[in-house]
Amino acid sequence: MKVILNVDVKHLGEEGDVKNVANGYARNYLLPRNLVVVYNETTAALFEARKAEIEARKEVKRQNARSLKEKLESTEIVLEMPAGANGKLFGAVTSTVLAEALAKLGFEIERKRIEIPGLSIKSVGNYHATVKLYESAVAEVKVVVKAQDRDDSVSEKVEDKKEAPAAEESKAE
C-alpha cells in the first residue's frame, strides 16, 4: 500500500515521505495511529502544499545535529572502572554506560545511537565512540577509560571491618 507519512516514523521515514508498506502494517498500525495517510492525488497535493513547512523543520533538525556534533566532538568522557593489574576491566564499557555518562554531562542520546568499536571496551585506554545523529551526521566522542584506585576501596573495606567490631562491643556494654 502506498502511503505518505504524517510524522517521522522510526525505521520507516520522515514526515512527507512516500513509502510502500505492507497492507497489514498500514491498516493495523500506521493508519489507526494517524502516522500516515493513504497516497492519492488529493493527499499528495496537500503534502505538496506543506512541503516548504516540512523542509523548514528538517533544516532545523539538521542545524541542531550540527551543533550537537560540535559539542560532542569537543567532549571527552573519562570513566573510572575497576580493573586488574594488567589493565583488563572487571566489567565492560558498553553503549549503555556511555549513554549514562553523556546524560550526566547534559546530552540526551539513546544508547542505540552510540556505537563502540568491538561492541564494548574491555581494557583501560583511549577510545573513540561514534554517535549517530540526524541523517548522515555522525559525531566521534573521545572516551578515556582509567583504572579505579584500588587502594582507596581496599582501605575503606578495612576501616569498615575495624569499626564494625567496635560498634558491637559498645552495644554489648
Side-chain angles (χ1 to χ4, degrees):
M1 177 182 290
K2 202 169 188 181
V3 295
I4 303 175
L5 301 178
N6 269 339
V7 294
D8 295 353
V9 179
K10 199 176 226 176
H11 305 296
L12 187 59
E14 296 179 340
E15 181 181 9
D17 289 351
V18 177
K19 297 288 183 175
N20 280 320
V21 296
N23 290 340
Y25 181 48
R27 206 173 36 246
N28 297 325
Y29 182 76
L30 298 172
L31 287 170
R33 289 171 177 77
N34 292 324
L35 300 175
V36 298
V37 292
V38 177
Y39 181 86
N40 57 37
E41 291 176 12
T42 309
T43 56
L46 287 172
F47 275 92
E48 204 52 48
R50 289 180 43 203
K51 191 170 192 159
E53 177 187 329
I54 294 168
E55 281 301 318
R57 273 191 243 139
K58 287 182 181 181
E59 188 58 36
V60 168
K61 289 179 185 178
R62 287 185 197 108
Q63 290 292 337
N64 291 342
R66 281 189 211 112
S67 65
L68 184 60
K69 178 180 178 178
E70 291 173 6
K71 290 176 186 174
L72 283 173
E73 289 184 342
S74 66
T75 301
E76 182 176 270
I77 300 173
V78 179
L79 299 171
E80 288 193 10
M81 303 284 291
N86 60 355
K88 188 172 180 182
L89 298 178
F90 291 135
V93 177
T94 61
S95 59
T96 305
V97 173
L98 285 181
E100 290 170 0
L102 285 169
K104 288 179 184 175
L105 295 173
F107 298 103
E108 291 299 321
I109 297 175
E110 298 174 13
R111 67 171 179 80
K112 293 178 181 178
R113 293 181 171 265
I114 300 172
E115 288 184 1
I116 300 173
L119 298 178
S120 64
I121 299 171
K122 297 183 181 180
S123 60
V124 174
N126 297 326
Y127 299 92
H128 290 283
T130 56
V131 179
K132 292 181 182 178
L133 302 171
Y134 183 70
E135 290 177 340
S136 62
V138 176
E140 286 233 350
V141 179
K142 295 174 199 123
V143 180
V144 178
V145 181
K146 295 182 178 179
Q148 259 182 354
D149 293 334
R150 295 189 324 176
D151 298 333
D152 294 339
S153 61
V154 171
S155 63
E156 287 176 13
K157 290 178 184 175
V158 171
E159 289 175 16
D160 289 341
K161 288 181 181 178
K162 288 180 182 176
E163 291 175 8
E168 289 175 10
E169 289 175 9
S170 63
K171 287 180 184 177
E173 293 176 6

